[in-house]
Amino acid sequence: MAEPTKTATLTIDGKSYELPVHSPTAGPDVIDIRKLYAEAGVFTYDPGFTSTASCDSTITYIDGDKGELLHRGYPIGQLAEKSHYLEVCFVLLYGYLPKADELEKFERLLTRHTMIHEQMHNFFRGFRRDAHPMATMVGVVGAMSAFYHDSTDINDENQREIASHRLIAKMPTIAAMAYKYSIGQPFVYPRNDLSFAANFLHMCFAVPAEEYHVDPVLARAMDRIFTLHADHEQNASTSTVRLASSSGANPFACIAAGIACLWGPAHGGANQACLEMLREIGTVDRIPEFIARAKDKNDPFRLMGFGHRVYKNFDPRATVMKQSADEVLDLLGIHDNPTLQVAKELEKIALEDSYFIEKKLYPNVDFYSGIILDAMGFPTSMFTPIFAVARTVGWISQWKEQLADPQLKIGRPRQLYLGETARDYVEIENR
Ligand code: SDX
């Protein structure tokens, strides 16, 4: 980390403390409070970490006011238009745009890690067929540490690299197997002649009874969805992966923890919740009823796919996703899709409503993604697993960055204690 550029003065009970201030290459300055408790005997208090930087990072930057998202400095709009998911994986992992031979080597390497240990097929059969695929993925990914012992030593750079490639390459296979298992169809093995996205679609939708040809436009849309979900600073699931890794846990356990956190409807589970909400709304004339519920403080209902901790402007991913939704539905000949009509009208009404304007609530990445995935033939239960497949490279990149950080120490927050002070035990006969 660079040397502090200035200092902040904190005065408590008449005593002043000088705190170093670090200036980033982009974004707000940060006040370094690492010595605060030792010097002033106080904690800071920030439930939900709304004003807290948990680490320094060079991977992804978000400007919530501008609606800007950069991966290693490259704007998400340019990556979505000009790049493809495995190249974005390289950029996130290694920090630069690869030359043609580097990219070819990287893609060939990952392609040869897409199969999972044959014994792991038995894991799936331990689940009920109606298990949510996220439950299956948490279980199977966590169990990978029981199979890939030669890539669990986080202190070995080579093992970290192999674990990274295995996880990124095997997540689509595991997600597709979870889907196939849930619909009672046989597993489809990965194919080395297909791109990452085409391979995923093939593993999900091919059946042994006939040839399955992946539509290149759908493969492109799938690849773009993966790119748009690849990484996003220190979001809840990435912070979970970092915290799990800070104890020295193996990479498979850390990614399983990230999958578990992503599942929540306030986070990665929002894409499933959003499509289910759009279906519940059903028709444009019911939108006012749901807008009223979203604004009602006594109603826990929130507009799924709306709002964001960081974006107080459009989520740039939602903008690209909306364009992609139109393209995919048009390609599939799905015109006047009622769900898309409701989504577009809901977005229009919400963005004109003073509640949403004041609270700076805009559509996020989850608002349109479900419409595309639904049109491609995925059940809503597969939406968050697809998010997990895409985000694995982000989790892994952040995991590697943290392990290489000389400041790394186990994450152990403190608290504002409001419970009982010390009191003596009372025997039951005296209570
Ligand atoms: C993702 O962090 C990331 O980067 C996440 C992510 C990634 O790529 O990793 O971008 C992926 O998780 C996107 C977000 C998906 N979640 C949803 O779409 C669920 C619906 N959205 C909300 O639950 C909410 O907006 C959050 C969780 C996304 C953000 O919540 P915050 O930052 O804690 O904001 P908040 O709850 O404090 O809301 C601020 C105000 C509140 O009102 P007041 O208490 O100030 O009166 O806005 C209101 C909220 O009630 N509000 C909403 C709303 N979201 C916030 N009101 C109605 N509908 C909503 N969707």
Side-chain angles (χ1 to χ4, degrees), residues 331-366:
L331 168 91
L332 296 172
I334 302 174
H335 302 300
D336 55 55
N337 172 300
T339 311
L340 182 60
Q341 301 315 319
V342 168
K344 288 187 172 179
E345 187 61 20
L346 174 60
E347 176 189 353
K348 180 174 169 296
I349 296 174
L351 294 183
E352 291 164 358
D353 183 292
S354 58
Y355 174 91
F356 293 87
I357 294 168
E358 281 156 28
K359 294 184 188 298
K360 298 183 178 180
L361 302 175
Y362 289 85
N364 58 51
V365 68
D366 296 306

Side-chain angles (χ1 to χ4, degrees), residues 256-308:
I259 296 171
C261 177
L262 186 75
W263 195 357
H267 189 16
N271 50 20
Q272 172 174 349
C274 181
L275 194 82
E276 288 164 354
M277 174 193 75
L278 293 172
R279 283 185 175 148
E280 188 188 353
I281 295 173
T283 53
V284 167
D285 63 302
R286 289 197 65 202
I287 290 174
E289 171 195 334
F290 284 81
I291 293 264
R293 284 187 58 195
K295 291 157 64 173
D296 178 356
K297 282 293 185 231
N298 301 315
D299 187 333
F301 172 79
R302 287 192 166 179
L303 279 188
M304 290 290 110
F306 253 81
H308 199 277

Side-chain angles (χ1 to χ4, degrees), residues 125-193:
R125 295 186 174 83
F127 289 90
R128 285 170 44 137
R129 291 280 181 178
D130 61 355
H132 194 292
M134 284 297 275
T136 312
M137 289 185 75
V138 169
V140 174
V141 171
M144 287 174 76
S145 53
F147 284 85
Y148 299 107
H149 298 105
D150 61 342
S151 59
T152 52
D153 179 356
I154 60 167
N155 299 307
D156 178 326
E157 169 58 30
N158 185 46
Q159 292 198 28
R160 291 206 296 261
E161 199 65 3
I162 294 172
S164 302
H165 297 153
R166 278 177 167 152
L167 279 157
I168 295 165
K170 293 179 195 314
M171 280 291 276
T173 308
I174 291 167
M177 290 174 76
Y179 172 56
K180 283 305 204 185
Y181 183 73
S182 74
I183 57 175
Q185 287 187 1
F187 298 140
V188 175
Y189 284 91
R191 277 183 28 188
N192 293 350
D193 61 324

